[in-house]
Amino acid sequence: MEATATLLSFSLPSTKTQSFQILNRPINPFNPPTSYKPRPISKTHRFLPSINAAISRTRKEETVDTVRDQLENCYLLAGINYKGFTVKQFQELRKSLPETTSLLVAKNTLVYKALEGTQWETLKPCMKGMNVWLFVHTEEIPSAIKPYRDFQKERKLEENDFTGAVFEGKFYGPDEFKKLETLPTRAEIYASLLGSLKSPASALVTTIQAPARELVLVLKAHIKNLEEQEQGSAV
């Protein structure tokens, strides 16, 4: 009997190092990176343009209303070139002006909007450049203009001259300001009236042919003089 040999085979474990793949957690594309800092969003941000426009429109309307208020009982309106003025110079100028005048800084377009349709719209030639506006609320025009002339000379501001003015509906350019600065005062007009009443008729005719403003003041003075005489007679 032949013996049969059975071959047994064993598989030894592999000596090769098994490789492992480390899987990272998948990145969520909707999550911002750690270095990202979200910008705060204001709830009113989208409405700011319309709010600013409304504020700007309100301020413009207020400026126009201010100009119109200044035109009440105004005898002369003049523009002054204020390019190069400092804040300190503005403060000093305001202090030097009499109470019968007002100084206003406003855009040409807004000022002209207030002047349209009035006797002051003849100031249109001044609506260019940088102007500060002088409102004179007294009939004594020379005394109202003189403080700025003195201020201009003391600080050597030759370039910051008057750009123009309107008086009794007529426009006066920079080269015509001498006429405004030499207008007779109320006292001078009264003296002229009293002199003309005592002089021949020709002098009275000359007085009557004077400008409308002077004639009105002369007539007022004459009426006042007659009233005083009547009161004196009654006493």
Side-chain angles (χ1 to χ4, degrees):
M1 180 177 180
E2 295 181 358
T4 59
T6 302
L7 298 176
L8 299 176
S9 61
F10 299 92
S11 60
L12 298 176
S14 176
T15 57
K16 294 182 179 180
T17 305
Q18 294 182 1
S19 60
F20 296 92
Q21 183 177 5
I22 301 176
L23 298 178
N24 295 325
R25 179 179 296 178
I27 300 175
N28 188 341
F30 298 100
N31 289 338
T34 56
S35 60
Y36 173 79
K37 295 182 180 180
R39 182 179 179 183
I41 300 177
S42 174
K43 294 181 179 180
T44 59
H45 178 73
R46 67 183 64 184
F47 304 107
L48 285 179
S50 58
I51 293 176
N52 290 337
I55 293 174
S56 177
R57 183 170 59 254
T58 301
R59 288 177 178 174
K60 290 179 180 179
E61 292 173 353
E62 290 176 351
T63 300
V64 174
D65 290 340
T66 299
V67 174
R68 287 172 178 165
D69 291 341
Q70 289 293 328
L71 291 177
E72 294 184 8
N73 300 320
C74 183
Y75 291 89
L76 179 139
L77 172 57
I80 300 173
N81 174 23
Y82 79 99
K83 185 177 182 180
F85 264 35
T86 63
V87 175
K88 184 179 180 180
Q89 287 175 329
F90 262 120
Q91 294 174 345
E92 292 175 348
L93 175 58
R94 288 184 186 276
K95 292 179 180 179
S96 67
L97 296 176
E99 295 181 356
T100 54
T101 62
S102 299
L103 204 62
L104 178 65
V105 179
K107 291 184 178 180
N108 298 335
T109 52
L110 298 179
V111 171
Y112 188 70
K113 184 176 181 180
L115 305 184
E116 281 185 312
T118 69
Q119 64 170 341
W120 306 101
E121 67 179 354
T122 53
L123 196 63
K124 189 174 183 179
C126 292
M127 301 300 158
K128 56 185 177 181
M130 300 174 65
N131 288 291
V132 59
W133 306 98
L134 180 68
F135 296 82
V136 177
H137 299 98
T138 176
E139 295 178 343
E140 304 295 340
I141 303 302
S143 61
I145 296 176
K146 190 177 183 301
Y148 180 72
R149 281 299 190 206
D150 295 339
F151 179 86
Q152 184 184 23
K153 292 177 182 178
E154 290 174 2
R155 289 157 181 77
K156 298 180 181 180
L157 302 173
E158 290 81 6
E159 295 182 0
N160 299 103
D161 200 2
F162 287 101
T163 57
V166 172
F167 174 64
E168 293 184 342
K170 180 183 176 181
F171 176 76
Y172 290 80
D175 56 337
E176 298 177 296
F177 256 74
K178 196 67 177 178
K179 298 178 182 178
L180 297 173
E181 294 173 291
T182 56
L183 285 172
T185 63
R186 183 186 295 269
E188 292 172 343
I189 293 175
Y190 286 171
S192 175
L193 168 67
L194 295 176
S196 62
L197 293 176
K198 296 178 181 179
S199 61
S202 58
L204 182 59
V205 171
T206 302
T207 303
I208 294 176
Q209 291 177 344
R213 168 181 172 271
E214 298 180 18
L215 180 58
V216 170
L217 292 177
V218 166
L219 293 175
K220 287 182 178 179
H222 182 53
I223 293 172
K224 183 179 180 181
N225 187 33
L226 293 176
E227 291 176 348
E228 291 176 351
Q229 291 179 1
E230 290 179 358
Q231 292 176 357
S233 301
V235 173

